[in-house]
Amino acid sequence: MRFPSLLVAIALSVAVVGPAEAAPSAGHGTHAKGKPKAAPPKAPTSPKKPGKKKHAHAQAPKVTAPAEDPPLVRPLVAIPEPVRIADHAPDALTLVAADRPDATDVTLVLRVPSGAGDDPADQAGAALVTARAVEHALTGEIRGLREVGGDVAFEVDADASVVRVRVPRGSIDAALEVLSAAFSVEIAPADVDAAHASIGAVSTEEAASDRLFALAYQGWFPYEHPTEGDARSRGALDDKAVNALHRQRWAAEHATLAVVGSDAHALVDAIKARFDGSPSAGKLAPRAGTLQEQTNQRTEDVERAGAHASIRYAWALPTATPAEMNALDVAARLVAEDVEAAVGKLSMAAIVRARVERRVGPSVFVIEVDLPDDAPMKKARHAVEDAFVALSTKAATGIELAHAKEASFLDVAAMADDPSALAAWLAAGGARFEDVRVALDAVTSENVRAAAAKLLGPLTRSVVVVRDPARAPKEKAS
Amino acid sequence: MRRALTFALATIALGAMACGPEHGTGTRTPVGSPSASASADAVLPIDTVKPVDPAVVPTVSGEDLKNGVRLVSVARAGAALAEIRVVVRVGSADDGDHAGTARVVARAMQAAYGARAANDGRAAPQIDAIVRPNATTFSFRSAPDGVGPTLKAIAAAFGKTSLDAAETKAAATRLTEDLKAERANAAEIGPRLVQRDLFIAPIGRHPYSVLLLSGEDVAGVDAKSASAFLSSFYVASNVSVVAVSPLASDALRATAEEALSSLRTGDARAADVDAPEGRPRPMKVMLIDAPAQDPVEVTWGKFGPTAAQATDTKTRLFGATVVDRLARAGVPNVRFEVSPFRGAPLIALVRAELPQASAADAIAKLHGLLTTFDTPNASELVAARNIVTGEIQRAIDPPRALADTLALDVAVDAPENALERRTIELPATEAVDVGLTGNAIVGHDGILVVVGDAKVLAPALTKFGEVDVLDPATLTRVRSVGP
C-alpha cells in the first residue's frame, strides 16, 4: 500500500542525495481536535510549555564559524503561526481556515474519510475507484474550474480521499461548485468504467512497496493492501457499489474543508452559504482488524527482469508514544546518512530514503535503500543493518542532532508558506507549528537511541529485497 | 512510477507549477477517459477574464554585489522561511568534450557543502542541485538566520581550487544512480528525447542535445576536467542568488555580501551556444515499447517562435487553448509546458497521460488538434487567459515556486521583471496573435515520443508518420512501422 500519499512520503523522506524538492505536506502535529477520524500528524509531547518562544534571531550568537570552532547549535527558530478559524457549515461540514493576507489566490482542501484503510474487506481499491469515479463524474465542473484559472487534484491514501483546489479569488464559486458537487453527484456506470480504466499496472518498485507494507501490517487488514487493491478485488465494484460507498463516506458531516487565503472570515462565509444542508449519512462504521505482534523478521524477495536493486525495511509502530514518534522523525534523518556512509564503505553509491509514515492506525517507519544493480546484496544488507544497530547503541553528536532536527522542522515550517500544504495540514488536524517546534526541539540523543532500541529492532522489521536475478552477482549463503 | 504520476505529480503541480524545468499549463489528474460523462457539458459560463491582481505580483529587485554576484530578491515579510536559489550560469551545454562534467561537479559541490556546513546548526542541512543546459541551480530553504551560514558554506565549496580523483569518482558514482532513475522514468524520457532530437546541430551534436547521459559518460569525467570546469566557471560573475525571504533587502544584501565574499573572481561565461534555427523538422515519431506502461505517456514537442521572450505569452496562450480544446474533446489529462533556452528558441511541449485502454482513441484526437490550429474564438481566448492567469498566480505563491520561477528566468537571461511583463502582456494579447503563433508551432513536424504498448499504439501513431519502435532499455530502434 502506498501510504501515506506520495506527497506525504516526499515531505517526510530524507533524500540524502538528489535534487528532489521537498513538497511539504505532513508529518508533524497533534490529532484533530474532537475528530478522531482525521489522520494524526505528529502528536508533540513537549516537556516545555508552549508559549516560551525562543527567537533565535535574537539569540543566535554572531559567529562566523571557521572549521576549527566548536559546533554552533541553537534552538529551532519559531515561525509565524497562521491565524486559524474553526467553524461548521449548515450541513455539518467541518471548516477550518487560515488567514494569509498576501495570498495570491484561494486554496481549498477537502478531506473525506474514505481511504484505502476503509475499503470493505472484499473490495480492496474501493476508495480509489470511488474517488476517481467522482472526479470523472465532475468532468464538466472541473473543466469550468480550469477555464477560470483554477486547478484541482484528487488523491487517495490509506486514511482519506483528498481534493485539492486552487482558484483565483474572484472565481471561488467555480471551486465551490466542484467541491459541493463532490458530495451530491450521482455516479454513472460510465464514470465507474473510466475509474477502473484509469488504474494501471503496478511497477516493480510499487510492487515492492506493496509487499513491504503487507508484511509490516500482516494481521491488520486495513493497511495490508495497496490503495489500488487488485483487479479481482475491484471487479465487484459496479456503479451500485460505488454509489453506496460514496453516499456513506463522501458526506459533508464526516468531512473537513480547509481554506487558506486572504480575508479568511469572508471565505468561510462564502463556503457556509454554499454548503447549506444535506441529508445525514449516518455514522461511519469503525475499521476492523488488529495488528498482531511481530516476533520474527519477515523477508521477501522480489525478483524481476529489469528491476533495479533495492532493499526496503519497514517497522509497524503500534506501541510508539507521541514522544517516540518525534524521536523517530529525527532518527530517520540520522539513519539515512549513516546507511549511506555504511554502503559507501563498500565502494557503492546508495540513495537512501527514511521516513515515518503517520496513519490513523499504527504508523510505520520506512527505510528504502537503492543500490547499484550489480551490488552484492548480502554484503550491502549487512552494512545497512549495522547502521541500524548503531542508531540504537550510539548517541548522535550535538551537531548531528541539531541538523537532523533542523531538517525535520524545516519541512513542517515550509507548510506555513505553502497554501496547498497548509490547507492539507489543517484539514488533517495538524498541530500548531509552535507545538511541533517545541516538541522537536526537546528531542535528545538519548530519546532517539531509546526509541530506536525499542521500536526498530531486528525481530519486528519487515524486509523486501528487490533485484534483477540476471544482473545480481552470485553470493555465497551466509 | 504510475502512482507517482497520478498522485504525487498532480499534487505537486498544484503546489509548485513552476518547480520543474518548464512552466506548465494543465494538470495531471488521475481520471482520464476520453468518454465524457453526462455532466461534461455542464460548463460554467466563461465570459470574463480574471486578470492577475497587480497587487500580488511581487516586486523583484536586482542588484550587483561588490564581487559581481547578482542578487535577485523578493521580500516577503510574512514568510516563515527563506527560499534561496544559487544559480551558476553554466550547465550541461558547457560540458565540452566530457559529457556529464557539469553534473559531476554539481554533485561534488553538494558533498563539499555538507562538509563545510557540518559545524553550524543554522546552516541548511543539505542543498539540492539541478543541472540544466544553461545553469546549475543549488537550492535550499532555511530559517532566516540560516541564510548567511548556508551561503557561506556554499561559497566555501565553490572556492575549492580543484577536485581530486576520489571526490570526482564519488560524485560520478552517485550520479550513476541518478541516471539510472532518470532513464527508468517514463514521464521524463519523452521531454529528454524531444530536446535531444530537436537540437540537432548542422554538424555533430548540439550542446543542448546532451541529455541522456549514461554511466559510461560520467565515468569518463576525470578530476582534471572536473577541476577545470570548477575553477573556470564557478566564479562570482557567473553566480546569481535568488532570494524569496522575510529578510529586509538591506539585511539580505549585507548577509549575501559577507557570505559570498570568498567566491573566486573570473570571466563570466558567455552565452556562445550554437543556436540552431527554429526551422521545422520532419515529424519524428518514437514509440518506446513498454507493454506494461499504464498510463501511456505522450510527449509532443516543437520549437516555439524564434524570438522566445517576445512571444512567450502568446505561446502560453496557444498551449492553454490546446489543453482546453483537448479537455472539451474528452482528453483531460494534458498539460502544456515551455522549456526556455539561452540564445535559442524555446521548446513547446504538450504532454498527456492516457489510460492504456483508451490511449489509441485519445492519440487520434491529439493528432487532430496538433496538426492544425484554428484561431481561438472569444470564449476560448477568455478561458486561455484565465488558465495562464492561474499559472502565473501559482508561480508567485508559494515562495518556493516563486524562487524557482525567478531562478529559471535568471538561467536563460530573461529580464528580472519577466513575471510582471507576462501579467501585462496577457490581457493585451489578442486571438489573432495566438492564432498566428499557434499556426507557426503546429504542423506535420516536430518530435512525438510515446511510452506504451507498441502492438496497440503503433497503428494509431502512424497518423503522424512513420513510427520508430524503440527498445525501452537501450532506446535504440528495433523496427519501423509505416503509415
Side-chain angles (χ1 to χ4, degrees):
Chain A
M1 176 179 294
R2 175 84 56 251
F3 49 98
S5 70
L6 270 163
L7 180 69
V8 176
I10 292 167
L12 290 178
S13 63
V14 182
V16 172
V17 292
E21 273 287 338
S25 171
H28 309 285
T30 50
H31 61 81
K33 214 173 182 180
K35 282 219 129 188
K37 67 180 175 52
K42 172 177 284 183
T45 52
S46 167
K48 301 171 189 174
K49 286 196 171 179
K52 268 193 170 180
K53 289 191 179 179
K54 296 192 174 183
H55 294 284
H57 293 292
Q59 290 187 346
K62 286 183 181 174
V63 176
T64 49
E68 61 271 18
D69 280 359
L72 177 63
V73 177
R74 57 109 165 92
L76 296 170
V77 178
I79 62 169
E81 193 74 38
V83 176
R84 301 186 188 197
I85 301 162
D87 208 334
H88 282 87
D91 63 359
L93 175 70
T94 300
L95 300 176
V96 53
D99 200 42
R100 201 161 173 272
D102 60 347
T104 58
D105 51 17
V106 179
T107 303
L108 302 107
V109 170
L110 177 67
R111 186 179 173 90
V112 178
S114 177
D118 304 298
D119 288 343
D122 56 348
Q123 293 177 354
L128 180 65
V129 171
T130 304
R132 293 197 177 183
V134 169
E135 184 178 2
H136 194 267
L138 300 179
T139 300
E141 288 83 354
I142 289 170
R143 199 175 69 235
L145 173 68
R146 291 195 171 132
E147 288 183 343
V148 296
D151 207 350
V152 61
F154 283 63
E155 303 161 29
V156 178
D157 64 28
D159 288 321
S161 294
V162 173
V163 186
R164 295 171 184 254
V165 179
R166 278 189 75 168
V167 68
R169 188 178 175 90
S171 302
I172 190 172
D173 281 350
L176 297 180
E177 178 81 20
V178 171
L179 294 171
S180 59
F183 292 125
S184 61
V185 69
E186 186 69 21
I187 296 167
D191 301 321
V192 178
D193 290 346
H196 281 295
S198 74
I199 299 173
V202 175
S203 70
T204 302
E205 286 69 29
E206 289 160 352
S209 286
D210 293 344
R211 288 311 307 154
L212 185 66
F213 289 112
L215 292 177
Y217 282 116
Q218 199 165 41
W220 202 65
F221 167 76
Y223 289 148
E224 275 185 34
H225 66 274
T227 311
E228 290 86 347
D230 55 41
R232 183 193 281 186
S233 66
R234 293 194 305 267
L237 291 165
D238 57 11
D239 61 305
K240 206 181 252 183
V242 170
N243 271 307
L245 207 143
H246 177 250
R247 273 192 298 275
Q248 186 194 22
R249 292 267 161 194
W250 286 67
E253 67 193 273
H254 303 317
T256 301
L257 179 59
V259 59
V260 175
S262 61
D263 195 0
H265 283 286
L267 293 172
V268 167
D269 288 344
I271 294 167
K272 286 167 77 172
R274 189 63 183 244
F275 290 84
D276 55 358
S278 68
S280 171
K283 277 191 169 179
L284 288 176
R287 289 178 178 176
T290 313
L291 187 62
Q292 293 170 357
E293 189 182 356
Q294 185 165 322
T295 53
N296 285 301
Q297 175 176 288
R298 295 161 175 157
T299 303
E300 272 193 20
D301 291 330
V302 173
E303 297 194 343
R304 283 193 193 175
H308 291 305
S310 67
I311 312 176
R312 292 146 190 260
Y313 298 85
W315 288 260
L317 306 168
T319 63
T321 65
E324 286 166 343
M325 294 291 282
N326 295 334
L328 290 181
D329 274 322
V330 178
R333 311 281 166 173
L334 293 168
V335 76
E337 294 201 10
D338 289 348
V339 167
E340 192 204 0
V343 175
K345 283 181 187 164
L346 301 175
S347 301
M348 288 188 286
I351 295 177
V352 186
R353 297 173 295 275
R355 61 190 180 273
V356 179
E357 294 195 356
R358 285 178 163 76
R359 308 263 41 94
V360 168
S363 298
V364 66
F365 188 92
V366 178
I367 301 176
E368 297 166 333
V369 186
D370 294 346
L371 293 161
D373 292 336
D374 58 354
M377 297 299 266
K378 282 181 183 153
K379 266 192 190 173
R381 213 178 133 177
H382 285 144
V384 170
E385 290 169 12
D386 284 348
F388 298 162
V389 174
L391 194 63
S392 56
T393 56
K394 197 183 78 180
T397 66
I399 191 72
E400 288 170 342
L401 189 72
H403 272 296
K405 290 199 280 193
E406 183 84 3
S408 194
F409 185 59
L410 284 177
D411 278 353
V412 178
M415 288 190 290
D417 290 337
D418 183 335
S420 184
L422 177 59
W425 174 257
L426 296 175
R432 292 174 66 245
F433 295 123
E434 179 60 7
D435 293 345
V436 176
R437 184 190 71 82
V438 171
L440 261 181
D441 221 17
V443 173
T444 64
S445 290
E446 176 52 26
N447 296 151
V448 174
R449 196 203 58 73
K454 174 187 164 187
L455 299 163
L456 306 183
L459 292 182
T460 55
R461 72 183 168 216
S462 300
V463 189
V464 169
V465 179
V466 186
R467 61 185 170 177
D468 177 350
R471 286 189 279 188
K474 296 249 185 298
E475 292 180 276
K476 287 181 184 171
S478 56
Chain B
M1 181 186 303
R2 174 181 44 75
R3 277 174 275 189
L5 296 175
T6 53
F7 292 136
L9 283 184
T11 312
I12 291 167
L14 282 172
M17 293 292 281
C19 71
E22 304 93 8
H23 296 169
T25 293
T27 57
R28 294 169 159 260
T29 47
V31 174
S33 164
S35 59
S37 73
S39 69
D41 294 328
V43 184
L44 295 172
I46 306 299
D47 54 5
T48 54
V49 181
K50 308 285 183 186
V52 178
D53 180 355
V56 302
V57 178
T59 303
V60 181
S61 305
E63 57 189 318
D64 289 329
L65 303 183
K66 285 175 193 161
N67 61 357
V69 170
R70 183 76 180 162
L71 178 61
V72 178
S73 64
V74 173
R76 279 260 163 101
L81 302 177
E83 289 281 356
I84 310 291
R85 307 290 178 264
V86 178
V87 184
V88 186
R89 288 190 303 281
V90 288
S92 58
D94 304 289
D95 276 346
D97 294 336
H98 298 277
T101 306
R103 294 191 64 174
V104 169
V105 171
R107 272 279 174 211
M109 290 299 96
Q110 282 182 282
Y113 168 81
R116 281 154 183 78
N119 246 23
D120 193 329
R122 299 168 302 175
Q126 66 186 57
I127 56 171
D128 294 331
I130 295 178
V131 180
R132 298 194 178 99
N134 294 126
T136 302
T137 302
F138 297 90
S139 59
F140 69 91
R141 74 165 60 104
S142 73
D145 73 338
V147 173
T150 308
L151 287 177
K152 196 178 180 77
I154 289 174
F158 288 5
K160 282 172 71 73
T161 51
S162 64
L163 295 170
D164 64 27
E167 289 170 316
T168 308
K169 189 181 173 200
T173 305
R174 288 176 180 210
L175 186 52
T176 302
E177 287 301 297
D178 294 348
L179 299 176
K180 194 171 74 177
E182 283 170 14
R183 280 182 169 256
N185 186 342
E188 286 308 311
I189 203 76
R192 286 171 187 273
L193 285 173
V194 166
Q195 188 174 328
R196 185 194 70 179
D197 287 358
L198 279 177
F199 280 111
I200 304 167
I203 300 169
R205 206 159 57 161
H206 188 275
Y208 288 166
S209 73
V210 186
L211 282 162
L212 289 160
L213 294 173
S214 66
E216 288 75 32
D217 286 331
V218 295
V221 177
D222 57 19
K224 191 177 169 190
S225 52
S227 296
F229 191 99
L230 172 65
S231 59
S232 303
F233 296 149
Y234 276 63
V235 296
S237 49
N238 279 333
V239 173
S240 293
V241 174
V242 173
V244 180
S245 81
L247 293 168
S249 59
D250 286 354
L252 176 68
R253 184 176 57 248
T255 299
E257 194 84 71
E258 184 194 342
L260 300 174
S261 60
S262 65
L263 278 177
R264 248 190 317 273
T265 55
D267 294 334
R269 174 71 167 158
D272 59 354
V273 288
D274 168 27
E277 306 165 39
R279 64 180 182 272
R281 313 237 182 251
M283 174 55 93
K284 183 174 180 181
V285 184
M286 288 176 275
L287 173 54
I288 298 168
D289 188 11
Q293 177 64 37
D294 189 6
V296 170
E297 293 285 341
V298 178
T299 307
W300 174 95
K302 281 284 307 279
F303 276 130
T306 304
Q309 296 309 326
T311 55
D312 181 57
T313 301
K314 295 173 195 168
T315 305
R316 286 166 193 270
L317 285 167
F318 152 74
T321 306
V322 168
V323 168
D324 191 38
R325 285 177 179 170
L326 283 165
R328 286 171 180 268
V331 187
N333 287 351
V334 180
R335 60 179 175 158
F336 178 79
E337 298 171 352
V338 293
S339 285
F341 299 89
R342 193 187 303 157
L346 56 77
I347 289 179
L349 291 169
V350 174
R351 303 177 67 183
E353 198 176 72
L354 307 170
Q356 201 177 47
S358 53
D361 289 343
I363 284 170
K365 290 176 182 171
L366 280 171
H367 178 263
L369 280 163
L370 294 177
T371 47
T372 57
F373 183 76
D374 296 329
T375 299
N377 62 32
S379 168
E380 286 178 323
L381 180 66
V382 170
R385 285 176 176 166
N386 286 342
I387 289 168
V388 177
T389 297
E391 273 177 29
I392 291 174
Q393 295 200 170
R394 289 187 286 273
I396 293 170
D397 192 21
R400 169 171 47 90
L402 178 56
D404 287 327
T405 301
L406 296 175
L408 190 59
D409 286 341
V410 163
V412 296
D413 291 344
E416 284 159 3
N417 66 346
L419 205 51
E420 186 186 359
R421 280 171 53 165
R422 282 176 201 132
T423 64
I424 294 168
E425 287 171 7
L426 191 56
T429 305
E430 297 299 336
V432 64
D433 303 320
V434 181
L436 288 171
T437 301
N439 270 301
I441 294 175
V442 302
H444 294 277
D445 54 3
I447 310 287
L448 178 67
V449 181
V450 177
V451 187
D453 187 353
K455 270 188 205 157
V456 177
L457 299 172
L461 287 169
T462 55
K463 277 178 182 282
F464 288 91
E466 186 171 82
V467 179
D468 287 341
V469 179
L470 308 186
D471 178 89
T474 62
L475 299 179
T476 53
R477 187 173 65 175
V478 290
R479 66 178 189 278
S480 294
V481 180

